């Protein structure tokens, strides 16, 4: 494995970094869609975050990386192993699996070997990218260029947390829970609303416009490439601190309280913006709770809601023919109307 740029050393891009961290704290928030210019370090950021996260405990024999601590999520193979034998476990880095454009369906879902199944009677299955992404991140560069049938398939799996492979009367299922991270260029093809809705967050990254920031980005990149070991060592303390914060945030997440007034404000905000369905509200609440937990707060406040609202909602707005301001502007305006009135 090559050297990975430390997450803490990424300059700026705060909205993207926070969205990735919150998705890592609570996977149920949903994936992250990153819009922006090429060369703004989108792929670096996701790899850096995965490398920073605590390693996962997995069942050593399992091809899907089942979590020994959560039997309810186990695959068929892990369930069918006799209970008497002690389970061997090992630690694995959190996977980041690339889903290349033009990928075949077999490579994504895995391949059932029909001939072997017929001749030997066992289900021969070659796991695909979804199996490798279980409990980690599935990264799609330029998700807007992905073929529709692959998109539909991903949406089904992301919703159910399970990959079901069926071929000529044979079927096999295995857990596939992952955080979808997609990048898109708003100028290259529209994203379907069903796909947009599936992402918890959408964030925009831009090439930094001020001199100081640009100089710092290039300085750090150069210094990393000159001597990656030294650079990583220099940032290790900050990465450790962040890892600690994420770990604590995960463990206290379930105890963070959300009062009814916050739920009402979330609902009101979504109503005022006219977002379709209830997924926006659900995401908003979960994201605000993950943020409260990350900030070591016992209770979700207005401030948490306000901070996550733009990235949780901006991709869920219907186009308004009477209002051509950008979606970020519309969300900001609705927030200010609701909270500052
Ligand atoms: Zn398993």
């Amino acid at each position: 494995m090559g050297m990975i740029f430390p997450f803490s050393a990424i300059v700026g891009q705060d909205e993207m970094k926070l969205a990735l961290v919150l998705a890592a704290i609570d996977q149920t928030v949903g994936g992250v869609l990153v819009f922006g210019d090429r060369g703004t370090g989108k792929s670096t950021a996701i790899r850096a975050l995965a490398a920073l996260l605590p390693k996962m405990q997995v069942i050593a024999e399992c091809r899907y990386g089942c979590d020994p601590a959560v039997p309810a999520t186990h695959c068929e193979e892990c369930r069918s192993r006799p209970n008497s034998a002690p389970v061997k476990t090992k630690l694995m880095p959190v996977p980041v699996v690339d889903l290349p454009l033009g990928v075949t369906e077999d490579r994504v879902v895995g391949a059932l070997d029909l001939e072997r199944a017929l001749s030997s009677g066992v289900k021969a299955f070659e796991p695909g990218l979804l199996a490798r992404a279980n409990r980690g991140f599935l990264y799609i560069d330029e998700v807007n260029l992905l073929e529709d049938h692959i998109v539909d398939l991903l949406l089904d799996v992301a919703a159910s947390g399970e990959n079901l492979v069926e071929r000529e009367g044979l079927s096999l299922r295995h857990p596939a829970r992952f955080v979808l991270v997609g990048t898109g260029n708003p100028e290259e093809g529209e994203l379907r609303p069903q796909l947009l809705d599936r992402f918890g967050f959408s964030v925009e990254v831009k090439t930094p416009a001020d001199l100081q920031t640009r100089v710092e980005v290039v300085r750090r990149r150069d210094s990393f490439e000159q001597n990656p070991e030294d650079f990583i060592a220099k940032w290790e303390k900050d990465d450790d601190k962040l890892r600690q914060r994420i770990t604590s945030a995960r463990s206290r997440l379930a105890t963070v309280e959300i009062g009814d007034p916050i739920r009402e404000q979330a609902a009101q905000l979504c109503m005022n913006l006219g977002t379709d369905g209830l997924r926006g509200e659900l995401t908003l609440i979960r994201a605000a709770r993950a943020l409260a937990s990350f900030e070591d707060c016992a209770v979700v406040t207005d401030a948490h809601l306000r901070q996550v609202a733009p990235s949780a909602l901006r991709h869920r707005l219907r186009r308004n023919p009477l209002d051509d301001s950008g979606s970020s502007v519309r969300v900001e305006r609705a927030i200010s109307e609701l909270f500052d009135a």
Side-chain angles (χ1 to χ4, degrees), residues 62-64 66 74-75 78:
C62 178
R63 302 193 283 173
Y64 312 109
C66 284
H74 284 182
C75 69
C78 287

Side-chain angles (χ1 to χ4, degrees), residues 29-79:
V29 170
V32 181
L33 188 55
V34 188
F35 286 113
D37 310 330
R38 286 211 177 77
T40 39
K42 293 171 280 202
S43 145
T44 302
I46 180 60
R47 270 158 242 284
L49 179 70
L52 170 135
L53 293 175
K55 290 204 165 76
M56 327 185 289
Q57 194 87 44
V58 302
I59 293 176
E61 295 164 80
C62 178
R63 302 193 283 173
Y64 312 109
C66 284
D67 183 349
V70 195
T73 61
H74 284 182
C75 69
E76 287 169 357
E77 289 166 37
C78 287
R79 279 169 206 260

Side-chain angles (χ1 to χ4, degrees), residues 33-34 36-43 46-47 97-102 138-146 180-185 188:
L33 188 55
V34 188
D37 310 330
R38 286 211 177 77
T40 39
K42 293 171 280 202
S43 145
I46 180 60
R47 270 158 242 284
V97 174
D98 277 297
L99 194 106
L101 297 176
L138 190 68
Y139 180 76
I140 312 165
D141 200 17
E142 307 201 62
V143 65
N144 43 321
L145 301 181
L146 203 63
L180 207 53
V181 179
T183 75
N185 188 329
E188 292 169 10

Side-chain angles (χ1 to χ4, degrees), residues 3 28 43 53 71 103-104 106 138 156 177 186 198 209 228 235 256 271 281 286 304:
M3 295 283 181
T28 68
S43 145
L53 293 175
V103 68
T104 63
D106 266 8
L138 190 68
D156 285 347
R177 290 183 186 81
R198 192 60 68 189
W235 287 92
V256 176
M271 277 166 72
E281 247 159 279
R286 285 177 177 165
H304 300 128

Side-chain angles (χ1 to χ4, degrees), residues 3-4 6 222-234:
M3 295 283 181
I4 292 174
D222 183 45
S223 151
F224 171 72
E225 272 158 26
Q226 292 291 325
N227 190 338
E229 282 94 350
D230 275 9
F231 188 81
I232 290 169
K234 210 177 115 195

